[in-house]
Structure formats: structure tokens, C-alpha cells
Amino acid sequence: MTVAADPDQAARAALEALSTARVAQTSSTAERVADALREQVVEGRLLPGVRLGEQSFCEAMRVSRNTLREAFSQLVAERILVREAHRGVFVTTPGVADVHDVYRSRRIVEPAAVRDGERARDEAAVARVRAAVEEGRAAAADEDWNGVADANQHFHRALVGLAGSTRLDQQMDLLLAEMRLAFHRMGTHRDFHEPYLERNDAVATLVERGELERAAQEVADYLADAETRIVSALGASG
């Protein structure tokens, strides 16, 4: 997957992907639209600052303006989108305070999911953690650093999946969407994500061995380091 280099390209890439999504005209259509748009953020297709034009997104997703506006309102409440008076709806550009708050949540959720999760010793759930590690390694071998970023998102989703909680899975999707927007402000994906390939592997190995307390501590340290790096970069960029 290639992330667009500028907002216009990003919007076109997202529209192309959304045009293939099937969003049924049901009472839950707005929620499904919100899910599809959020996924575009998580997967790095919708970049910070991109304006979401109503007509083009309605046409791409084959939904009414009312449905799209309802979906937009949900994503604004989730802090993934922002509505600006007389200008329209835009993808949020996270700041330092946003990063601190997201990582505060992640440091509570992710280590606990690893240490205490009902599926932390489930073979299939642990295999998903390992699969995300291998996905990242394969992308790095191809020098596909956007693919590495995707794999990193999948890795952290899989960690929370060890909890066996649908509600936590849903909450993690919101946190990952906000974090992907912050990652875009870090510059080159390789510079940020490459060091975590080995750390992801280390966590996965500990989980596979059943050393869950050590794995949870590694995740906590990992998240603290990542937060420091992101906050430092955002502060330097003004």
C-alpha cells in the first residue's frame, strides 16, 4: 500500500478504496460509513489536513449526504475529523496533548491485554501477533516503509486482541486511527518504524513463551519510548 504524498493524492486514494466498499442502505449505514472512513485513516490513506468533500465521498460510497454527515459527526466526536466553520470537514492534525492522552490510554490497555488477557495463551490469537511481526519484516525487506507502518498497526491490534474483548478491540481502533495521524507528522516512516521491528519480535517471542509479565513490561517500556520520540519530534516541528 502506498500512502499519497500530498493531501489531494491522499483524498483520491481514499476515494478509490472507498468506492469498492459495499455500504448497505440500512439503519446502520452511517456507522458503517464511519467504520470505512476510520479504516482509511488507520491504513494511512487519509492524511492529516485532508478535506473531505461531501459530494465526492457520497458518490464514492453510494450514500446520501445525510448519512455521510451522520458518519462525519461520529468521527468528529472521536477526534478523527474536525469540522471548521465555513470551510468543511477535515482529517484531524494531532498535537502534543493528543499524543500524551492517546499514549496514556495505550499504556493502560496494551500491557494489561498481554499480561491478563483471556486469549494471551490462545494459539490462534498469539499467531496473529507473530503474523504481524512477519508482515512487518517482509515489508521492510521490500523497503516498503508504509507497509511496515501498516504492520505495526496490525501488531498492536493483535496485542489488544489477546484480551478477548470486542469493546477493547473497538477502542483500540480509535486509538490507532489517532496514532496513525500522529505518525504522518514524524517524517520518513523508516526512521520511526524500523527500530520497532525488533521490539515487536521481542514482545511476540515473550508472548509465545508464555512469559506474559515480561512481555507486558516490554510493551510498557516500548510505548513510553515511542511517546517520547513522537512528542520530541512534534515539539521540534512547532
Side-chain angles (χ1 to χ4, degrees), residues 18-53:
L18 288 167
S19 67
T20 64
R22 295 184 179 179
V23 182
Q25 293 287 351
T26 69
S27 59
S28 61
T29 301
E31 184 174 347
R32 296 184 189 207
V33 171
D35 289 345
L37 290 169
R38 190 186 306 108
E39 188 68 11
Q40 296 301 302
V41 173
V42 172
E43 295 297 328
R45 294 190 182 95
L46 280 176
L47 308 183
V50 168
R51 182 178 182 277
L52 306 186

PDB file of all heavy atoms in Angstrom, residues 18-53:
ATOM      1  N   LEU A  18     -12.561   3.513  -1.104  1.00  0.00           N
ATOM      2  CA  LEU A  18     -13.931   3.528  -0.586  1.00  0.00           C
ATOM      3  C   LEU A  18     -14.950   3.152  -1.648  1.00  0.00           C
ATOM      4  O   LEU A  18     -16.008   2.617  -1.335  1.00  0.00           O
ATOM      5  CB  LEU A  18     -14.251   4.912  -0.014  1.00  0.00           C
ATOM      6  CG  LEU A  18     -13.551   5.250   1.299  1.00  0.00           C
ATOM      7  CD1 LEU A  18     -13.678   6.739   1.591  1.00  0.00           C
ATOM      8  CD2 LEU A  18     -14.115   4.436   2.439  1.00  0.00           C
ATOM      9  N   SER A  19     -14.628   3.432  -2.905  1.00  0.00           N
ATOM     10  CA  SER A  19     -15.589   3.145  -3.975  1.00  0.00           C
ATOM     11  C   SER A  19     -15.822   1.649  -4.143  1.00  0.00           C
ATOM     12  O   SER A  19     -16.823   1.235  -4.717  1.00  0.00           O
ATOM     13  CB  SER A  19     -15.099   3.746  -5.303  1.00  0.00           C
ATOM     14  OG  SER A  19     -13.933   3.083  -5.746  1.00  0.00           O
ATOM     15  N   THR A  20     -14.902   0.831  -3.634  1.00  0.00           N
ATOM     16  CA  THR A  20     -15.059  -0.621  -3.732  1.00  0.00           C
ATOM     17  C   THR A  20     -15.731  -1.205  -2.493  1.00  0.00           C
ATOM     18  O   THR A  20     -16.050  -2.392  -2.460  1.00  0.00           O
ATOM     19  CB  THR A  20     -13.691  -1.306  -3.919  1.00  0.00           C
ATOM     20  OG1 THR A  20     -12.891  -1.084  -2.749  1.00  0.00           O
ATOM     21  CG2 THR A  20     -12.984  -0.766  -5.138  1.00  0.00           C
ATOM     22  N   ALA A  21     -15.919  -0.372  -1.459  1.00  0.00           N
ATOM     23  CA  ALA A  21     -16.557  -0.862  -0.237  1.00  0.00           C
ATOM     24  C   ALA A  21     -18.071  -0.917  -0.437  1.00  0.00           C
ATOM     25  O   ALA A  21     -18.661  -0.028  -1.040  1.00  0.00           O
ATOM     26  CB  ALA A  21     -16.215   0.055   0.941  1.00  0.00           C
ATOM     27  N   ARG A  22     -18.682  -1.940   0.077  1.00  0.00           N
ATOM     28  CA  ARG A  22     -20.129  -2.091  -0.024  1.00  0.00           C
ATOM     29  C   ARG A  22     -20.755  -1.625   1.288  1.00  0.00           C
ATOM     30  O   ARG A  22     -20.600  -2.257   2.325  1.00  0.00           O
ATOM     31  CB  ARG A  22     -20.498  -3.547  -0.299  1.00  0.00           C
ATOM     32  CG  ARG A  22     -20.000  -4.025  -1.664  1.00  0.00           C
ATOM     33  CD  ARG A  22     -20.454  -5.441  -1.945  1.00  0.00           C
ATOM     34  NE  ARG A  22     -20.000  -5.877  -3.261  1.00  0.00           N
ATOM     35  CZ  ARG A  22     -20.243  -7.081  -3.767  1.00  0.00           C
ATOM     36  NH1 ARG A  22     -20.942  -7.959  -3.063  1.00  0.00           N
ATOM     37  NH2 ARG A  22     -19.795  -7.409  -4.958  1.00  0.00           N
ATOM     38  N   VAL A  23     -21.442  -0.513   1.203  1.00  0.00           N
ATOM     39  CA  VAL A  23     -22.087   0.046   2.388  1.00  0.00           C
ATOM     40  C   VAL A  23     -23.592  -0.056   2.189  1.00  0.00           C
ATOM     41  O   VAL A  23     -24.172   0.678   1.385  1.00  0.00           O
ATOM     42  CB  VAL A  23     -21.669   1.515   2.606  1.00  0.00           C
ATOM     43  CG1 VAL A  23     -22.306   2.065   3.870  1.00  0.00           C
ATOM     44  CG2 VAL A  23     -20.142   1.618   2.691  1.00  0.00           C
ATOM     45  N   ALA A  24     -24.224  -0.951   2.894  1.00  0.00           N
ATOM     46  CA  ALA A  24     -25.651  -1.220   2.686  1.00  0.00           C
ATOM     47  C   ALA A  24     -26.508  -0.069   3.176  1.00  0.00           C
ATOM     48  O   ALA A  24     -26.179   0.598   4.147  1.00  0.00           O
ATOM     49  CB  ALA A  24     -26.046  -2.500   3.425  1.00  0.00           C
ATOM     50  N   GLN A  25     -27.630   0.151   2.486  1.00  0.00           N
ATOM     51  CA  GLN A  25     -28.567   1.195   2.887  1.00  0.00           C
ATOM     52  C   GLN A  25     -29.486   0.637   3.982  1.00  0.00           C
ATOM     53  O   GLN A  25     -30.594   0.196   3.726  1.00  0.00           O
ATOM     54  CB  GLN A  25     -29.379   1.647   1.671  1.00  0.00           C
ATOM     55  CG  GLN A  25     -28.553   2.361   0.623  1.00  0.00           C
ATOM     56  CD  GLN A  25     -28.168   3.762   1.073  1.00  0.00           C
ATOM     57  OE1 GLN A  25     -28.636   4.267   2.063  1.00  0.00           O
ATOM     58  NE2 GLN A  25     -27.285   4.395   0.320  1.00  0.00           N
ATOM     59  N   THR A  26     -28.994   0.639   5.208  1.00  0.00           N
ATOM     60  CA  THR A  26     -29.752   0.154   6.343  1.00  0.00           C
ATOM     61  C   THR A  26     -29.703   1.201   7.435  1.00  0.00           C
ATOM     62  O   THR A  26     -29.073   2.242   7.299  1.00  0.00           O
ATOM     63  CB  THR A  26     -29.155  -1.156   6.888  1.00  0.00           C
ATOM     64  OG1 THR A  26     -27.892  -0.852   7.487  1.00  0.00           O
ATOM     65  CG2 THR A  26     -28.948  -2.185   5.793  1.00  0.00           C
ATOM     66  N   SER A  27     -30.382   0.902   8.572  1.00  0.00           N
ATOM     67  CA  SER A  27     -30.377   1.855   9.671  1.00  0.00           C
ATOM     68  C   SER A  27     -28.987   2.069  10.244  1.00  0.00           C
ATOM     69  O   SER A  27     -28.737   3.047  10.931  1.00  0.00           O
ATOM     70  CB  SER A  27     -31.324   1.370  10.777  1.00  0.00           C
ATOM     71  OG  SER A  27     -30.914   0.095  11.243  1.00  0.00           O
ATOM     72  N   SER A  28     -28.053   1.133   9.973  1.00  0.00           N
ATOM     73  CA  SER A  28     -26.696   1.254  10.489  1.00  0.00           C
ATOM     74  C   SER A  28     -25.718   1.758   9.438  1.00  0.00           C
ATOM     75  O   SER A  28     -24.515   1.645   9.611  1.00  0.00           O
ATOM     76  CB  SER A  28     -26.215  -0.108  11.011  1.00  0.00           C
ATOM     77  OG  SER A  28     -26.194  -1.072   9.964  1.00  0.00           O
ATOM     78  N   THR A  29     -26.250   2.293   8.353  1.00  0.00           N
ATOM     79  CA  THR A  29     -25.369   2.725   7.269  1.00  0.00           C
ATOM     80  C   THR A  29     -24.351   3.762   7.731  1.00  0.00           C
ATOM     81  O   THR A  29     -23.170   3.683   7.379  1.00  0.00           O
ATOM     82  CB  THR A  29     -26.191   3.306   6.103  1.00  0.00           C
ATOM     83  OG1 THR A  29     -27.100   2.321   5.632  1.00  0.00           O
ATOM     84  CG2 THR A  29     -25.279   3.721   4.954  1.00  0.00           C
ATOM     85  N   ALA A  30     -24.773   4.751   8.510  1.00  0.00           N
ATOM     86  CA  ALA A  30     -23.849   5.801   8.946  1.00  0.00           C
ATOM     87  C   ALA A  30     -22.700   5.221   9.756  1.00  0.00           C
ATOM     88  O   ALA A  30     -21.548   5.637   9.595  1.00  0.00           O
ATOM     89  CB  ALA A  30     -24.594   6.852   9.760  1.00  0.00           C
ATOM     90  N   GLU A  31     -22.994   4.253  10.595  1.00  0.00           N
ATOM     91  CA  GLU A  31     -21.938   3.617  11.383  1.00  0.00           C
ATOM     92  C   GLU A  31     -20.968   2.871  10.483  1.00  0.00           C
ATOM     93  O   GLU A  31     -19.759   2.902  10.691  1.00  0.00           O
ATOM     94  CB  GLU A  31     -22.553   2.663  12.405  1.00  0.00           C
ATOM     95  CG  GLU A  31     -21.533   2.037  13.343  1.00  0.00           C
ATOM     96  CD  GLU A  31     -22.173   1.202  14.429  1.00  0.00           C
ATOM     97  OE1 GLU A  31     -23.405   1.311  14.610  1.00  0.00           O
ATOM     98  OE2 GLU A  31     -21.440   0.436  15.088  1.00  0.00           O
ATOM     99  N   ARG A  32     -21.506   2.226   9.441  1.00  0.00           N
ATOM    100  CA  ARG A  32     -20.640   1.504   8.512  1.00  0.00           C
ATOM    101  C   ARG A  32     -19.766   2.475   7.711  1.00  0.00           C
ATOM    102  O   ARG A  32     -18.602   2.190   7.440  1.00  0.00           O
ATOM    103  CB  ARG A  32     -21.481   0.650   7.561  1.00  0.00           C
ATOM    104  CG  ARG A  32     -22.253  -0.442   8.277  1.00  0.00           C
ATOM    105  CD  ARG A  32     -22.984  -1.326   7.290  1.00  0.00           C
ATOM    106  NE  ARG A  32     -23.874  -2.238   7.978  1.00  0.00           N
ATOM    107  CZ  ARG A  32     -24.238  -3.423   7.494  1.00  0.00           C
ATOM    108  NH1 ARG A  32     -23.785  -3.818   6.328  1.00  0.00           N
ATOM    109  NH2 ARG A  32     -25.060  -4.199   8.181  1.00  0.00           N
ATOM    110  N   VAL A  33     -20.325   3.606   7.348  1.00  0.00           N
ATOM    111  CA  VAL A  33     -19.534   4.630   6.655  1.00  0.00           C
ATOM    112  C   VAL A  33     -18.425   5.129   7.568  1.00  0.00           C
ATOM    113  O   VAL A  33     -17.270   5.292   7.149  1.00  0.00           O
ATOM    114  CB  VAL A  33     -20.435   5.787   6.194  1.00  0.00           C
ATOM    115  CG1 VAL A  33     -19.591   6.950   5.679  1.00  0.00           C
ATOM    116  CG2 VAL A  33     -21.394   5.314   5.108  1.00  0.00           C
ATOM    117  N   ALA A  34     -18.765   5.389   8.832  1.00  0.00           N
ATOM    118  CA  ALA A  34     -17.758   5.839   9.786  1.00  0.00           C
ATOM    119  C   ALA A  34     -16.655   4.797   9.935  1.00  0.00           C
ATOM    120  O   ALA A  34     -15.461   5.137   9.979  1.00  0.00           O
ATOM    121  CB  ALA A  34     -18.401   6.130  11.143  1.00  0.00           C
ATOM    122  N   ASP A  35     -17.035   3.516   9.983  1.00  0.00           N
ATOM    123  CA  ASP A  35     -16.038   2.439  10.087  1.00  0.00           C
ATOM    124  C   ASP A  35     -15.106   2.446   8.881  1.00  0.00           C
ATOM    125  O   ASP A  35     -13.888   2.289   9.014  1.00  0.00           O
ATOM    126  CB  ASP A  35     -16.729   1.081  10.185  1.00  0.00           C
ATOM    127  CG  ASP A  35     -17.424   0.848  11.515  1.00  0.00           C
ATOM    128  OD1 ASP A  35     -17.144   1.601  12.481  1.00  0.00           O
ATOM    129  OD2 ASP A  35     -18.251  -0.078  11.599  1.00  0.00           O
ATOM    130  N   ALA A  36     -15.686   2.614   7.685  1.00  0.00           N
ATOM    131  CA  ALA A  36     -14.880   2.597   6.460  1.00  0.00           C
ATOM    132  C   ALA A  36     -13.920   3.781   6.415  1.00  0.00           C
ATOM    133  O   ALA A  36     -12.746   3.635   6.040  1.00  0.00           O
ATOM    134  CB  ALA A  36     -15.797   2.604   5.237  1.00  0.00           C
ATOM    135  N   LEU A  37     -14.399   4.957   6.793  1.00  0.00           N
ATOM    136  CA  LEU A  37     -13.534   6.141   6.806  1.00  0.00           C
ATOM    137  C   LEU A  37     -12.435   6.010   7.851  1.00  0.00           C
ATOM    138  O   LEU A  37     -11.278   6.364   7.610  1.00  0.00           O
ATOM    139  CB  LEU A  37     -14.369   7.395   7.070  1.00  0.00           C
ATOM    140  CG  LEU A  37     -15.299   7.824   5.934  1.00  0.00           C
ATOM    141  CD1 LEU A  37     -16.256   8.911   6.422  1.00  0.00           C
ATOM    142  CD2 LEU A  37     -14.508   8.310   4.733  1.00  0.00           C
ATOM    143  N   ARG A  38     -12.800   5.497   9.015  1.00  0.00           N
ATOM    144  CA  ARG A  38     -11.795   5.311  10.070  1.00  0.00           C
ATOM    145  C   ARG A  38     -10.701   4.365   9.608  1.00  0.00           C
ATOM    146  O   ARG A  38      -9.520   4.554   9.887  1.00  0.00           O
ATOM    147  CB  ARG A  38     -12.464   4.783  11.340  1.00  0.00           C
ATOM    148  CG  ARG A  38     -11.548   4.776  12.558  1.00  0.00           C
ATOM    149  CD  ARG A  38     -12.207   4.104  13.758  1.00  0.00           C
ATOM    150  NE  ARG A  38     -13.498   4.671  14.073  1.00  0.00           N
ATOM    151  CZ  ARG A  38     -14.660   4.050  13.852  1.00  0.00           C
ATOM    152  NH1 ARG A  38     -14.667   2.837  13.293  1.00  0.00           N
ATOM    153  NH2 ARG A  38     -15.800   4.628  14.175  1.00  0.00           N
ATOM    154  N   GLU A  39     -11.108   3.316   8.898  1.00  0.00           N
ATOM    155  CA  GLU A  39     -10.129   2.350   8.404  1.00  0.00           C
ATOM    156  C   GLU A  39      -9.163   2.996   7.411  1.00  0.00           C
ATOM    157  O   GLU A  39      -7.977   2.657   7.370  1.00  0.00           O
ATOM    158  CB  GLU A  39     -10.840   1.158   7.754  1.00  0.00           C
ATOM    159  CG  GLU A  39      -9.923   0.014   7.373  1.00  0.00           C
ATOM    160  CD  GLU A  39      -9.331  -0.708   8.573  1.00  0.00           C
ATOM    161  OE1 GLU A  39      -9.778  -0.478   9.717  1.00  0.00           O
ATOM    162  OE2 GLU A  39      -8.407  -1.515   8.362  1.00  0.00           O
ATOM    163  N   GLN A  40      -9.651   3.940   6.618  1.00  0.00           N
ATOM    164  CA  GLN A  40      -8.768   4.656   5.694  1.00  0.00           C
ATOM    165  C   GLN A  40      -7.704   5.446   6.461  1.00  0.00           C
ATOM    166  O   GLN A  40      -6.572   5.584   6.003  1.00  0.00           O
ATOM    167  CB  GLN A  40      -9.580   5.606   4.809  1.00  0.00           C
ATOM    168  CG  GLN A  40     -10.571   4.931   3.891  1.00  0.00           C
ATOM    169  CD  GLN A  40      -9.901   3.945   2.941  1.00  0.00           C
ATOM    170  OE1 GLN A  40      -9.025   4.317   2.174  1.00  0.00           O
ATOM    171  NE2 GLN A  40     -10.302   2.695   3.010  1.00  0.00           N
ATOM    172  N   VAL A  41      -8.071   5.954   7.624  1.00  0.00           N
ATOM    173  CA  VAL A  41      -7.108   6.659   8.468  1.00  0.00           C
ATOM    174  C   VAL A  41      -6.106   5.672   9.059  1.00  0.00           C
ATOM    175  O   VAL A  41      -4.885   5.885   8.996  1.00  0.00           O
ATOM    176  CB  VAL A  41      -7.817   7.439   9.596  1.00  0.00           C
ATOM    177  CG1 VAL A  41      -6.808   8.029  10.582  1.00  0.00           C
ATOM    178  CG2 VAL A  41      -8.682   8.553   9.006  1.00  0.00           C
ATOM    179  N   VAL A  42      -6.604   4.577   9.623  1.00  0.00           N
ATOM    180  CA  VAL A  42      -5.731   3.579  10.244  1.00  0.00           C
ATOM    181  C   VAL A  42      -4.732   3.020   9.240  1.00  0.00           C
ATOM    182  O   VAL A  42      -3.561   2.802   9.562  1.00  0.00           O
ATOM    183  CB  VAL A  42      -6.571   2.437  10.864  1.00  0.00           C
ATOM    184  CG1 VAL A  42      -5.672   1.295  11.332  1.00  0.00           C
ATOM    185  CG2 VAL A  42      -7.392   2.960  12.038  1.00  0.00           C
ATOM    186  N   GLU A  43      -5.184   2.807   8.009  1.00  0.00           N
ATOM    187  CA  GLU A  43      -4.312   2.230   6.985  1.00  0.00           C
ATOM    188  C   GLU A  43      -3.479   3.280   6.247  1.00  0.00           C
ATOM    189  O   GLU A  43      -2.775   2.957   5.292  1.00  0.00           O
ATOM    190  CB  GLU A  43      -5.144   1.425   5.984  1.00  0.00           C
ATOM    191  CG  GLU A  43      -5.818   0.206   6.602  1.00  0.00           C
ATOM    192  CD  GLU A  43      -4.826  -0.810   7.142  1.00  0.00           C
ATOM    193  OE1 GLU A  43      -3.724  -0.930   6.568  1.00  0.00           O
ATOM    194  OE2 GLU A  43      -5.133  -1.468   8.154  1.00  0.00           O
ATOM    195  N   GLY A  44      -3.567   4.527   6.693  1.00  0.00           N
ATOM    196  CA  GLY A  44      -2.666   5.548   6.175  1.00  0.00           C
ATOM    197  C   GLY A  44      -3.052   6.164   4.851  1.00  0.00           C
ATOM    198  O   GLY A  44      -2.222   6.815   4.211  1.00  0.00           O
ATOM    199  N   ARG A  45      -4.304   6.017   4.425  1.00  0.00           N
ATOM    200  CA  ARG A  45      -4.706   6.605   3.147  1.00  0.00           C
ATOM    201  C   ARG A  45      -5.232   8.023   3.303  1.00  0.00           C
ATOM    202  O   ARG A  45      -5.094   8.835   2.396  1.00  0.00           O
ATOM    203  CB  ARG A  45      -5.765   5.719   2.479  1.00  0.00           C
ATOM    204  CG  ARG A  45      -5.255   4.353   2.067  1.00  0.00           C
ATOM    205  CD  ARG A  45      -6.265   3.619   1.201  1.00  0.00           C
ATOM    206  NE  ARG A  45      -5.791   2.293   0.846  1.00  0.00           N
ATOM    207  CZ  ARG A  45      -6.098   1.191   1.504  1.00  0.00           C
ATOM    208  NH1 ARG A  45      -6.887   1.263   2.555  1.00  0.00           N
ATOM    209  NH2 ARG A  45      -5.620   0.029   1.119  1.00  0.00           N
ATOM    210  N   LEU A  46      -5.857   8.309   4.428  1.00  0.00           N
ATOM    211  CA  LEU A  46      -6.333   9.668   4.685  1.00  0.00           C
ATOM    212  C   LEU A  46      -5.353  10.358   5.627  1.00  0.00           C
ATOM    213  O   LEU A  46      -5.152   9.921   6.757  1.00  0.00           O
ATOM    214  CB  LEU A  46      -7.742   9.645   5.296  1.00  0.00           C
ATOM    215  CG  LEU A  46      -8.892   9.432   4.318  1.00  0.00           C
ATOM    216  CD1 LEU A  46     -10.220   9.321   5.064  1.00  0.00           C
ATOM    217  CD2 LEU A  46      -8.957  10.562   3.299  1.00  0.00           C
ATOM    218  N   LEU A  47      -4.762  11.427   5.159  1.00  0.00           N
ATOM    219  CA  LEU A  47      -3.686  12.107   5.883  1.00  0.00           C
ATOM    220  C   LEU A  47      -4.217  13.294   6.677  1.00  0.00           C
ATOM    221  O   LEU A  47      -5.284  13.829   6.379  1.00  0.00           O
ATOM    222  CB  LEU A  47      -2.627  12.597   4.900  1.00  0.00           C
ATOM    223  CG  LEU A  47      -2.058  11.579   3.911  1.00  0.00           C
ATOM    224  CD1 LEU A  47      -0.971  12.229   3.074  1.00  0.00           C
ATOM    225  CD2 LEU A  47      -1.507  10.372   4.636  1.00  0.00           C
ATOM    226  N   PRO A  48      -3.464  13.732   7.683  1.00  0.00           N
ATOM    227  CA  PRO A  48      -3.859  14.924   8.440  1.00  0.00           C
ATOM    228  C   PRO A  48      -4.070  16.115   7.510  1.00  0.00           C
ATOM    229  O   PRO A  48      -3.279  16.360   6.596  1.00  0.00           O
ATOM    230  CB  PRO A  48      -2.658  15.163   9.366  1.00  0.00           C
ATOM    231  CG  PRO A  48      -2.015  13.833   9.499  1.00  0.00           C
ATOM    232  CD  PRO A  48      -2.199  13.154   8.172  1.00  0.00           C
ATOM    233  N   GLY A  49      -5.150  16.854   7.744  1.00  0.00           N
ATOM    234  CA  GLY A  49      -5.413  18.061   6.972  1.00  0.00           C
ATOM    235  C   GLY A  49      -6.196  17.856   5.697  1.00  0.00           C
ATOM    236  O   GLY A  49      -6.593  18.833   5.049  1.00  0.00           O
ATOM    237  N   VAL A  50      -6.445  16.594   5.301  1.00  0.00           N
ATOM    238  CA  VAL A  50      -7.209  16.339   4.077  1.00  0.00           C
ATOM    239  C   VAL A  50      -8.659  16.793   4.275  1.00  0.00           C
ATOM    240  O   VAL A  50      -9.287  16.489   5.285  1.00  0.00           O
ATOM    241  CB  VAL A  50      -7.175  14.853   3.703  1.00  0.00           C
ATOM    242  CG1 VAL A  50      -8.193  14.538   2.606  1.00  0.00           C
ATOM    243  CG2 VAL A  50      -5.787  14.453   3.239  1.00  0.00           C
ATOM    244  N   ARG A  51      -9.177  17.536   3.290  1.00  0.00           N
ATOM    245  CA  ARG A  51     -10.570  17.970   3.331  1.00  0.00           C
ATOM    246  C   ARG A  51     -11.449  16.892   2.710  1.00  0.00           C
ATOM    247  O   ARG A  51     -11.143  16.363   1.634  1.00  0.00           O
ATOM    248  CB  ARG A  51     -10.746  19.284   2.561  1.00  0.00           C
ATOM    249  CG  ARG A  51     -12.171  19.831   2.608  1.00  0.00           C
ATOM    250  CD  ARG A  51     -12.278  21.159   1.872  1.00  0.00           C
ATOM    251  NE  ARG A  51     -13.629  21.708   1.941  1.00  0.00           N
ATOM    252  CZ  ARG A  51     -14.628  21.363   1.152  1.00  0.00           C
ATOM    253  NH1 ARG A  51     -14.416  20.460   0.183  1.00  0.00           N
ATOM    254  NH2 ARG A  51     -15.831  21.907   1.291  1.00  0.00           N
ATOM    255  N   LEU A  52     -12.538  16.547   3.390  1.00  0.00           N
ATOM    256  CA  LEU A  52     -13.448  15.518   2.905  1.00  0.00           C
ATOM    257  C   LEU A  52     -14.653  16.184   2.245  1.00  0.00           C
ATOM    258  O   LEU A  52     -15.598  16.600   2.922  1.00  0.00           O
ATOM    259  CB  LEU A  52     -13.897  14.616   4.058  1.00  0.00           C
ATOM    260  CG  LEU A  52     -12.783  13.979   4.903  1.00  0.00           C
ATOM    261  CD1 LEU A  52     -13.374  13.006   5.907  1.00  0.00           C
ATOM    262  CD2 LEU A  52     -11.764  13.282   4.020  1.00  0.00           C
ATOM    263  N   GLY A  53     -14.609  16.312   0.938  1.00  0.00           N
ATOM    264  CA  GLY A  53     -15.703  16.928   0.207  1.00  0.00           C
ATOM    265  C   GLY A  53     -16.928  16.031   0.195  1.00  0.00           C
ATOM    266  O   GLY A  53     -16.834  14.859  -0.171  1.00  0.00           O
TER     267      GLY A  53
END
